[in-house]
Amino acid sequence: MTSVFLSLSALLTASVLAAPMAGAAPRTDGPAPVPSGWAAVDGAALERLAGAAGASQAPLAAGRTTSATAAEPELLALRSARNEKFVATEATYPAPNTGVLRARSAEVGGGWEGFAFEWDEPSATYALKSLANDRYVAVEKNYTGSAQNVLRARSASVGGWERFYLFYNEELDRYALQSTLNGLFVAMENSYTGSLQYALRARSTAITGSWEEFSLYGIGA
């Protein structure tokens, strides 16, 4: 059955903190610096957003903080603001690119475009598990050339390579991901050609525009 997906609209109105310059490396002793104009999204906030489908939900109150951990991972699809395509896991790509993430699908057709966002309270980060191959998304820091820092669903467990901060911009109604491994924001490589065209890479020092911006959609049967 074709998945039904619902946009996570601008329900998040938490205060945007005065913060260091976007792109600063994440701290190891606390949350990452919040980019100017963006707000950090914790597990409780994302749970509220994803659960807004079909119900009237009040906005998250300005300045409110939450500490609850989401009971279950949120099942979401990501759509690139740059090319308006949904991100898919290339589970059938040959090694070493098996599981590379690419913004190439016109619609959410199944598990290839689905990800479980697993919130971790102590680190204030998310791990993304692909529904296509049941593997966690890692940043391939040791890759070289145009594939360096590519996102790939290949890990059976979660460590620093698999953790991301999630930010939301209310004015744009868009989201951004920042890798904890290298402190860089995830971008969609719209100008690439070949098998890595539209690949996602953690390579930007700041959120500069649509290359680093995504929409999130709740998915269900």
Side-chain angles (χ1 to χ4, degrees):
M1 180 181 294
T2 301
S3 296
V4 176
F5 50 93
L6 300 142
S7 177
L8 303 186
S9 59
L11 297 174
L12 182 64
T13 57
S15 301
V16 178
L17 305 177
M21 181 181 298
R27 293 166 46 192
T28 57
D29 60 345
V34 180
S36 179
W38 295 74
V41 182
D42 69 8
L46 189 63
E47 182 180 28
R48 184 182 185 89
L49 289 165
S56 176
Q57 296 278 337
L60 192 63
R64 175 180 171 184
T65 59
T66 57
S67 59
T69 300
E72 297 291 339
E74 300 302 334
L75 303 183
L76 304 172
L78 299 90
R79 187 174 68 175
S80 168
R82 181 66 181 180
N83 69 357
E84 298 186 345
K85 300 289 187 181
F86 288 95
V87 174
T89 299
E90 299 295 0
T92 61
Y93 268 23
N97 292 326
T98 310
V100 162
L101 269 57
R102 290 203 308 138
R104 55 82 164 164
S105 299
E107 60 183 16
V108 178
W112 289 72
E113 294 83 23
F115 298 88
F117 277 58
E118 299 182 2
W119 167 251
D120 180 68
E121 183 72 29
S123 64
T125 63
Y126 289 90
L128 280 60
K129 179 182 274 190
S130 169
L131 303 186
N133 63 4
D134 203 35
R135 294 284 176 172
Y136 289 100
V137 175
V139 173
E140 297 293 5
K141 185 178 181 179
N142 292 338
Y143 277 22
T144 58
S146 60
Q148 187 176 37
N149 297 324
V150 72
L151 270 60
R152 197 162 72 92
R154 55 83 164 165
S155 301
S157 59
V158 179
W161 296 62
E162 294 82 20
R163 294 216 169 273
F164 299 87
Y165 296 105
L166 180 65
F167 300 103
Y168 176 76
N169 185 299
E170 182 185 3
E171 182 178 354
L172 298 173
D173 192 18
R174 291 177 180 171
Y175 295 80
L177 288 164
Q178 183 184 27
S179 168
T180 67
L181 180 66
N182 62 11
L184 300 178
F185 292 93
V186 174
M188 190 278 289
E189 299 295 0
N190 191 68
S191 61
Y192 274 22
T193 59
S195 62
L196 290 182
Q197 187 177 36
Y198 309 139
L200 270 58
R201 289 202 307 139
R203 57 81 164 164
S204 298
T205 58
I207 306 170
T208 60
S210 60
W211 294 73
E212 295 86 18
E213 296 169 2
F214 298 86
S215 297
L216 290 181
Y217 293 78
I219 59 175

